[in-house]
Amino acid sequence: MSLKQNKTQYANADQLVTALRNKRKIWVLSGAGISAPSGIPTYRDNKGNWQAGNPIQHNEFITQESFRKRYWARSMAGWIITGHAKPNAAHQSITQLQENGLLSKIVTQNVDRLHSNAGAKEVIDLHGRIDQIICLDCNDISRRADYQPRLVESNQDLEAYIERISSKALPDGDANIDDYETDTVNIPPCEKCAGRLMPDVVFFGGIVPKERVELAFKSLAEADCLLVIGSSLKVFSGFRFPRWAHQNNLPLYAINQGEMRGEDMFDLVVAESCEEVLPELVNQLI
């Protein structure tokens, strides 16, 4: 099969509406840019440059208590923002498109659950859910919101520190508290087995569960186009989907203000705010 030879065409919302009109199986891949208007920081700037500090790596968390202490200290501060973030107009627009039968699937690289909180159904949370905690020893699942009071109760000095400073929020519930001595942090254990608790997310260096990827590809094979929203596609776990779409001559569109990996594969790119463009799509497509 010969690949389509694209030269990226930058477009406005009206041109994207024209391209999407009569489409009934739009496959959506969303990234950090869709949640930025909700107050959740992004990992990269509009040039694709890293701006999110030094996030925990999967093996570090699994194998070293010092890194678990660092994570939970920062998470205790970061949850104040991430745990209270609300869906914005972009999330709500995606839900409206789904409710009106225009979407085949919503796949998100975000862990914030804002698509689901906006009422979207059967969302594939590619990198997991920050609102859940999993025990590494007994696999019990619990709510992150219920864990916050336990963290606060066990780390009152840290709570006082957080109240005194203006913590710099980072993506995925992280926060910059680098001048706090995290070795003193107490980590409340699993209430069922006293085991090690981890957020139910895929850390950097971790592997997206195979069944999650297979489900995403199965739905993509049934779609009639792919729409990327707010992602630089720098991470392969998300990039693999538009790459497959390109290889299989599926139309590719994007709403993204910054640079994107593989941008020359796309038929149309709207380099504007998704919070402004998506409601316009709803107004004209529904």
Side-chain angles (χ1 to χ4, degrees):
M1 180 183 297
S2 61
L3 299 182
K4 58 185 178 181
Q5 299 299 313
N6 285 10
K7 182 177 181 181
T8 304
Q9 178 182 345
Y10 292 95
N12 57 35
D14 289 338
Q15 291 169 293
L16 182 58
V17 167
T18 299
L20 293 176
R21 200 175 298 281
N22 300 321
K23 298 281 196 303
R24 290 297 181 269
K25 294 181 180 180
I26 304 169
W27 197 94
V28 168
L29 174 67
S30 71
I34 198 172
S35 294
S38 294
I40 298 178
T42 60
Y43 283 104
R44 300 178 188 274
D45 62 21
N46 283 351
K47 295 293 186 182
N49 297 316
W50 188 264
Q51 60 177 9
N54 183 28
I56 294 288
Q57 301 291 309
H58 176 81
N59 285 339
E60 292 174 342
F61 188 98
I62 296 295
T63 61
Q64 299 185 53
E65 185 181 27
S66 62
F67 282 98
R68 292 195 290 275
K69 288 185 174 184
R70 174 179 176 264
Y71 173 83
W72 285 116
R74 296 166 71 95
S75 177
M76 183 172 149
W79 181 254
I80 295 170
I81 294 174
T82 302
H84 295 89
K86 304 296 182 185
N88 60 58
H91 298 104
Q92 293 159 358
S93 295
I94 290 296
T95 299
Q96 288 178 275
L97 292 172
Q98 184 185 59
E99 290 174 344
N100 282 272
L102 300 183
L103 304 188
S104 65
K105 182 59 70 175
I106 303 168
V107 178
T108 184
Q109 298 175 97
N110 303 331
V111 299
D112 53 41
R113 293 287 286 173
L114 293 184
H115 279 298
S116 297
N117 293 344
K121 306 300 182 185
E122 298 181 353
V123 177
I124 297 179
D125 298 295
L126 197 62
H127 296 147
R129 299 174 50 171
I130 199 70
D131 66 331
Q132 292 186 160
I133 294 175
I134 185 169
C135 177
L136 293 173
D137 298 290
C138 74
N139 293 318
D140 182 60
I141 299 288
S142 56
R143 295 176 67 243
R144 175 65 180 83
D146 294 336
Y147 193 59
Q148 184 74 1
R150 296 181 63 202
L151 275 172
V152 170
E153 178 63 27
S154 299
N155 296 281
Q156 295 187 10
D157 288 346
L158 175 56
E159 181 189 25
Y161 164 86
I162 292 170
E163 290 175 351
R164 289 196 307 270
I165 68 168
S166 176
S167 296
K168 181 181 178 183
L170 294 172
D172 295 345
D174 197 4
N176 185 359
I177 58 168
D178 286 343
D179 57 342
Y180 185 83
E181 182 51 67
T182 58
D183 284 347
T184 65
V185 171
N186 295 308
I187 308 174
C190 173
E191 292 186 298
K192 289 197 172 182
C193 76
R196 301 161 298 160
L197 295 176
M198 175 177 174
D200 192 12
V201 302
V202 178
F203 281 131
F204 284 89
I207 299 174
V208 178
K210 181 180 179 181
E211 61 273 14
R212 208 175 290 170
V213 176
E214 290 177 345
L215 180 60
F217 270 122
K218 181 180 179 180
S219 61
L220 181 57
E222 300 169 354
D224 52 24
C225 68
L226 188 155
L227 175 63
V228 172
I229 302 171
S231 176
S232 67
L233 301 176
K234 295 289 187 180
V235 178
F236 179 75
S237 59
F239 176 73
R240 69 179 108 192
F241 300 113
R243 186 184 69 167
W244 183 93
H246 176 66
Q247 291 170 344
N248 288 273
N249 293 319
L250 199 66
L252 273 168
Y253 311 114
I255 306 169
N256 187 66
Q257 289 183 291
E259 295 181 359
M260 287 193 307
R261 180 183 183 183
E263 194 169 273
D264 59 350
M265 299 187 306
F266 283 75
D267 297 276
L268 291 177
V269 175
V270 180
E272 300 176 25
S273 166
C274 56
E275 195 181 23
E276 296 177 1
V277 173
L278 283 167
E280 186 61 29
L281 262 63
V282 170
N283 289 338
Q284 295 195 50
L285 292 176
I286 294 177

